[in-house]
Structure formats: structure tokens, C-alpha cells
Amino acid sequence: MKVITKNILNLLYLTIFISMVSSCSDSDSPSSQDSNATAEWKTSSSVGSDEVSTGILLKGDAGTQYSATISQGASFSSFDYYTSKSAKLGVLKEGDNVIYIYCKANATADPRNVVVDITFGDAAPQQLTLVQKSVSQEILPVFSAWPELPAEKVSTDYQYATHYVTVNGKKIRSYSLCFDKNNKAALWVAYPMHAVYDGSVGRSDEWGFDPYITQTNQANCVSRSYGGNYDRGHQIPSADRDATFEMNAQTFYMSNMTPQLDRLNQDMWAKLETKVRNNICSDTLYVVTGAYFGAGATTTTDGAGNIVAIPTNYFKILLRTKSGNSGKSIALCSDSELISIGFWVDHKAYGNIEPPTTICTSVADIEAKTGFSFFPGVSAAVKSQNTPSVWGVQ
């Protein structure tokens, strides 16, 4: 009865509010519509099974009225999961506006869909769906189907996951990773690169834990970086995912970070990342970035003072069609139509230089060094290539 009464009051409040703003004609009143106003997930359109919060980013002209409703299983309040908190009203302020959603733990065997309807003024509602995975559910890479993925290597120390994003109403993969619980880092992060991922949202700096990886297995550098002269080094770069705020925010997950020397991360490594982006083409460019923990690996601390291992090496491997505009999938290409290369980087300061040819090698060589099988859908002949000039490295 208490919940029903609260629902009735909430509905009455919503009706009165709408009635009041619709009767206002004063020029100082909030605008009743904004055709340019948009709503998108702030960090991710999917979350883990634990009790969790996430945000929706609202953009539009200051003064635009908005209303939001939410389905059961989640709330706009961190203190009340009942439907009495299923409605939210507001007016956009200058800059970005965020409304937060709080989800109950999903203890069921099935994923839960939380539907949010957001209306700006008199415009048609915009609908966003948040998927909360179940306790036993894993968001796994589609091995053998996506060209960028290495072959799966089974180990109790490894956890695999894939992050998806929504672009123009379509759900697409952003990146996959193989996370090593012992080293608190991904051994590889695999991702496609194409114009659909390119934009101008810039760095979100949304440092946070990966919702698909057990939080205690991740390094804690949400509030501050690693100890010593080590940056929170991205494996998939922020600049490779800047078409939407959601996809950029996902690159700031702790699972994507390793302790990387500042003078490597900000200098030669950053220039190597730019070289990779320069090879984006009409066909897809497939990339795997990884961290290697070899003999003699030392340690530092994360932002919370926990001991974490420092990679001894980093690597990148690339695969694409030679022409860049074949319109063909990798599986349908002959060896002569494909090009690949590897970059093996010692964890040291190289200076603020362009990537040297000395770091260039073959995919096959990096396979031998790491024990992973990369680009399993292409031949050994393609993976033995090492022609730096084809990739703009002189």
C-alpha cells in the first residue's frame, strides 16, 4: 500500500509539473522543445550483475525541459529501487548534464533489460536500453568469427570479455581483451579500427573499474596513477574510440591499463599509436595491443598501494587489406591481398622520437615471444611479413 501511495503521488507530481510548464508563455520560461537535444549512455550500455550505478549524458540547449521514466529493477535514486523513483523531471543547464541510474543486483539466471525513455520538451521520446548481465553470464568474444581475435587460450588465470557500444542505434563491438588476474592487466586487447569509431568527443577521463572483470582482480588507479614514474597506460588508446562518449569512457577501464613509463607512454609510444591510426582505411584495420611480463619483471604499486607487476615489453600487431578499399572480408582475401606487421617495444624511454624500424618485426615473431596465436584466420606467409615502409615507418 505504501508503494502504491508513493506511485500515485509521483504521478500526480508529474501531471502538475507538466501542466504548469505547458501554461507558461513567459520568455524567461524554459524552452518547451529542442530538436537538437540528445541522450546517450555515459560509460556503457551494459553493466555487470552486481548492484551498480551508471549514467546517461544529456546534451542540448540550456533551459530545455526534459522528463525521464525508467522500468523496474532500477531507479533514479540510490536509496529507493521502487517505482516511486521511476520518473525524473529537469531542465538542461549549460554544458553536459548527467542523470544517474541505480540498478539492483541481478541474482537471476537471465540478463535484465532496463528501459529508459527520455523526452525533451514536446519532441518524441528517445529510448535507451541498459543490459544488466546475470550472475553466471559472461560477455565473451566471438572467437574464430572476428579477424582481430587471437586464438582462445584456456587458463584459470585468464578472463575474456568484450565491450560493445551503440552507434546510430546499432550495437557494435568496441574491443575484446584477455585479462590476466595474476598480473592485474590485459595480456592483449583486440579491436577493429574504422571510420565508425572516429569522432571528436575527446578524452572523457572516466577512470573506472571494468564491470565485466572482478573488481578485486583489477589494479585500483581510479583516483590516482601507479607509483613512481608510471602513467595509467592505455592499451586501446582513448583517441581510437572517440565517436561517442560511451566508447571513449570504456577505454578508461582499469582492465585496459598497465603501469607504463611516462616517457614511453607520452613520447614514442604515443607516436606509434598515431602511426596506427594513419593506416585506417575503407576496409577495416585489425589491431591487437598487448603487454608482456617477461623474466625479471619488477613491480610498483597501484593508486591504492597494492603491488602490481610492471610489463617488460609491449607490442602491437596490425592486419588489413593491401589496397585498403577492396570491400572484401579478410576470409575472402588471398595472401597477396593482405599485409601485416608487428611492433615489439622494450619498456624503456626511447626519447621523443618517431617509431624506429628496430621495433618492427613480424606477427609470427611476436607469436613466438608471447605464446599466443594471432590472426588465426590468415596464413603463416602473411604473418611472416615485416615491411615497415608499407605502414609509414621509415
Side-chain angles (χ1 to χ4, degrees):
M1 179 64 70
K2 183 177 180 181
V3 173
I4 294 174
T5 302
K6 292 171 74 177
N7 285 340
I8 294 173
L9 289 174
N10 188 72
L11 181 59
L12 181 61
Y13 167 68
L14 180 60
T15 304
I16 293 172
F17 182 91
I18 293 173
S19 176
M20 290 174 61
V21 299
S22 63
S23 65
C24 293
S25 58
D26 194 301
S27 60
D28 292 332
S29 299
S31 60
S32 62
Q33 58 185 355
D34 178 8
S35 59
N36 296 319
T38 60
E40 62 178 287
W41 292 109
K42 187 170 184 285
T43 52
S44 180
S45 56
S46 56
V47 294
S49 61
D50 294 336
E51 184 175 307
V52 68
S53 64
T54 188
I56 295 177
L57 190 65
L58 308 181
K59 296 182 179 180
D61 294 337
T64 299
Q65 304 158 8
Y66 71 85
S67 62
T69 60
I70 193 170
S71 64
Q72 292 187 358
S75 170
F76 293 117
S77 169
S78 59
F79 302 105
D80 189 353
Y81 287 116
Y82 294 111
T83 54
S84 60
K85 300 298 182 182
S86 64
K88 187 176 183 67
L89 301 167
V91 177
L92 295 183
K93 299 177 181 179
E94 290 287 349
D96 293 339
N97 297 257
V98 180
I99 56 177
Y100 289 96
I101 294 171
Y102 302 86
C103 297
K104 289 192 263 187
N106 182 14
T108 70
D110 299 312
R112 170 193 290 155
N113 286 345
V114 176
V115 179
V116 184
D117 287 298
I118 299 175
T119 303
F120 295 98
D122 300 328
Q126 299 180 33
Q127 189 171 90
L128 301 178
T129 301
L130 178 72
V131 179
Q132 185 179 25
K133 72 175 186 176
S134 65
V135 172
S136 60
Q137 183 184 14
E138 292 183 284
I139 312 299
L140 296 174
V142 184
F143 290 103
S144 77
W146 298 341
E148 75 273 14
L149 290 179
E152 183 177 8
K153 192 174 181 180
V154 178
S155 170
T156 56
D157 294 332
Y158 298 168
Q159 182 176 347
Y160 294 97
T162 293
H163 290 287
Y164 291 86
V165 292
T166 302
V167 179
N168 298 324
K170 183 179 180 181
K171 185 176 180 180
I172 61 173
R173 71 187 186 272
S174 183
Y175 67 90
S176 303
L177 54 83
C178 172
F179 189 81
D180 183 352
K181 302 170 189 176
N182 284 335
N183 288 309
K184 294 181 179 291
L187 299 182
W188 55 253
V189 179
Y191 46 101
M193 293 185 67
H194 192 270
V196 71
Y197 301 100
D198 187 31
S200 58
V201 299
R203 286 174 63 97
S204 64
D205 286 318
E206 285 287 319
W207 306 100
F209 292 105
D210 189 326
Y212 295 161
I213 307 294
T214 303
Q215 185 170 314
T216 54
N217 290 333
Q218 300 176 61
N220 186 349
C221 289
V222 173
S223 300
R224 55 183 298 181
S225 189
Y226 299 92
N229 298 322
Y230 294 98
D231 288 346
R232 291 173 285 192
H234 289 62
Q235 295 208 54
I236 176 173
S238 164
D240 286 1
R241 290 292 184 267
D242 62 357
T244 69
F245 194 98
E246 176 192 9
M247 68 170 65
N248 186 264
Q250 289 180 358
T251 70
F252 285 86
Y253 287 155
M254 292 297 102
S255 59
N256 188 42
M257 301 299 142
T258 67
Q260 190 172 46
L261 277 173
D262 53 2
R263 295 275 54 91
L264 173 61
N265 180 46
Q266 299 172 40
D267 295 336
M268 193 277 284
W269 184 258
K271 294 181 185 299
L272 177 59
E273 292 175 335
T274 299
K275 288 286 186 186
V276 173
R277 282 189 288 276
N278 289 343
N279 281 279
I280 295 176
C281 54
S282 296
D283 295 336
T284 303
L285 169 68
Y286 298 100
V287 184
V288 182
T289 300
Y292 180 71
F293 298 84
T298 56
T299 62
T300 184
T301 54
D302 65 12
N306 305 304
I307 301 296
V308 292
I310 300 171
T312 55
N313 302 87
Y314 291 95
F315 63 87
K316 286 184 180 290
I317 58 172
L318 314 180
L319 173 70
R320 50 163 276 195
T321 60
K322 186 178 295 183
S323 69
N325 60 0
S326 70
K328 298 167 64 175
S329 67
I330 294 296
L332 296 178
C333 291
S334 65
D335 286 0
S336 63
E337 295 176 292
L338 299 175
I339 53 175
S340 75
I341 195 169
F343 301 96
W344 184 258
V345 177
D346 293 332
H347 195 175
K348 67 179 184 180
Y350 285 75
N352 193 15
I353 62 171
E354 291 294 325
T357 56
T358 52
I359 68 171
C360 298
T361 185
S362 66
V363 174
D365 178 56
I366 296 179
E367 286 182 323
K369 285 180 166 69
T370 63
F372 284 103
S373 175
F374 300 108
F375 306 140
V378 302
S379 70
V382 172
K383 292 195 282 187
S384 67
Q385 296 177 13
N386 179 13
T387 310
S389 59
V390 171
W391 299 90
V393 179
Q394 304 294 334

